[in-house]
Amino acid sequence: IHNTSVHHAVGQLYKEGPVKLYRGVVPPLLMRTLNGTLLFGLQDTLLRHLSLSTHNATSAAALPALAGFGAGMVEAVVFTPFERVQNVLQNGQNDRHLPSLRSVLMRLKVQRISQGYYRAFLPIAARNTLGSCLYFGLKGPVCVLVAGQGLSPMGSSFVSGTLTSMAISLTLYPLSVLVANMQAQIGGEVKGVMTCWRALWKSRNHSVALLYRGGTLVILRSCITWGITTAIYDRQQQQSS
């Protein structure tokens, strides 16, 4: 949000202490708890319905990606409010006038839904639908390719999930930066997506490197998370079949 270097951010976190470090932990904790179940369960349900209804009108290889697209849209609808609250809480500029989760919820409650809980819904929907579409479309082929290198099924699933997540995170990270900047404040001038994107690009001095500042840590976290998630999910699929 603030275009801070990693070194400066670590120093700031050390100075503020562990209490401030975990400010805004509730929304992402709930999101991580529910995300995998919702995304994988819904994608699997949509895939079964699409397989029965398309009658070979759509390539079977494209069905997982199509089901992932639908699951990503539902994910955006469900989790946009969580992400909104998280970004408000984690913006240090809000500490004084929005000191608690309750104060943020009360403030968002009186806002119009498009400017309150669902601020930045369009870029979130684009990021989640494209990300889920690519993840479920690429996961299978990448896993087959990796399995050919002699890894165990669990290892193949982990590596394929990690590689797929890395490619998606690198591609879509600018959307996450845009979302964080759009959602970090409550109130003020209402700006559209393109206006916010131009302001963000200008604040980063028209530099891709600055736009990706902090991206290494976020992408690394995403790779590990989705590598583990993919391995667990594939293992459960193998056991159920």
Side-chain angles (χ1 to χ4, degrees), residues 145-226:
L145 183 64
V146 172
Q149 306 302 312
L151 293 177
S152 66
M154 182 73 83
S156 299
S157 296
F158 177 80
V159 173
S160 66
T162 300
L163 293 176
T164 303
S165 175
M166 182 182 297
I168 295 170
S169 298
L170 280 170
T171 304
L172 301 180
Y173 181 74
L175 281 176
S176 294
V177 178
L178 175 63
V179 167
N181 280 269
M182 290 182 69
Q183 291 188 333
Q185 299 288 350
I186 299 180
E189 183 182 357
V190 178
K191 298 179 180 179
V193 175
M194 292 308 300
T195 301
C196 291
W197 171 255
R198 285 192 291 267
L200 172 64
W201 184 237
K202 183 179 179 180
S203 71
R204 297 299 193 265
N205 297 322
H206 305 91
S207 169
V208 174
L210 290 179
L211 184 63
Y212 273 84
R213 171 169 278 178
T216 303
L217 299 176
V218 176
I219 292 168
L220 177 61
R221 180 192 65 184
S222 178
C223 290
I224 295 173
T225 299
W226 284 104

Side-chain angles (χ1 to χ4, degrees), residues 7 12 16 45 82 93 108 112 117 134 185 223 237:
H7 176 75
Q12 180 181 333
E16 291 172 346
T45 301
F82 291 82
Q93 296 177 355
L108 289 174
R112 290 176 54 190
Y117 285 110
L134 291 171
Q185 299 288 350
C223 290
Q237 289 289 94

Side-chain angles (χ1 to χ4, degrees), residues 35-228:
N35 180 260
T37 302
L38 174 67
L39 186 63
F40 282 93
L42 186 57
Q43 192 270 348
D44 189 58
T45 301
L46 290 174
L47 181 59
R48 287 202 303 269
H49 284 291
L50 287 171
S51 300
L52 293 174
S53 62
T54 54
H55 300 294
N56 298 323
T58 305
S59 171
L63 291 181
L66 187 59
F69 185 92
M73 179 58 71
V74 175
E75 181 189 31
V77 172
V78 173
F79 291 123
T80 293
F82 291 82
E83 196 164 350
R84 170 66 153 148
V85 174
Q86 175 188 348
N87 283 319
V88 172
L89 282 170
Q90 293 185 339
N91 180 9
Q93 296 177 355
N94 298 325
D95 287 358
R96 291 187 177 181
H97 62 283
L98 294 169
S100 65
L101 176 60
R102 178 182 174 83
S103 65
V104 173
L105 295 176
M106 294 300 293
R107 184 71 179 275
L108 289 174
K109 184 179 179 181
V110 300
Q111 300 282 318
R112 290 176 54 190
I113 189 169
S114 60
Q115 299 304 318
Y117 285 110
Y118 279 88
R119 174 70 172 155
F121 174 73
L122 288 179
I124 288 176
R127 181 196 64 192
N128 289 12
T129 53
L130 288 173
S132 297
C133 180
L134 291 171
Y135 173 78
F136 287 106
L138 295 174
K139 180 172 71 72
V142 173
C143 188
V144 171
L145 183 64
V146 172
Q149 306 302 312
L151 293 177
S152 66
M154 182 73 83
S156 299
S157 296
F158 177 80
V159 173
S160 66
T162 300
L163 293 176
T164 303
S165 175
M166 182 182 297
I168 295 170
S169 298
L170 280 170
T171 304
L172 301 180
Y173 181 74
L175 281 176
S176 294
V177 178
L178 175 63
V179 167
N181 280 269
M182 290 182 69
Q183 291 188 333
Q185 299 288 350
I186 299 180
E189 183 182 357
V190 178
K191 298 179 180 179
V193 175
M194 292 308 300
T195 301
C196 291
W197 171 255
R198 285 192 291 267
L200 172 64
W201 184 237
K202 183 179 179 180
S203 71
R204 297 299 193 265
N205 297 322
H206 305 91
S207 169
V208 174
L210 290 179
L211 184 63
Y212 273 84
R213 171 169 278 178
T216 303
L217 299 176
V218 176
I219 292 168
L220 177 61
R221 180 192 65 184
S222 178
C223 290
I224 295 173
T225 299
W226 284 104
I228 295 173

Side-chain angles (χ1 to χ4, degrees), residues 23-41:
R23 177 173 164 83
V25 71
V26 175
L29 184 63
L30 292 174
M31 287 174 60
R32 296 298 176 188
T33 303
L34 300 173
N35 180 260
T37 302
L38 174 67
L39 186 63
F40 282 93

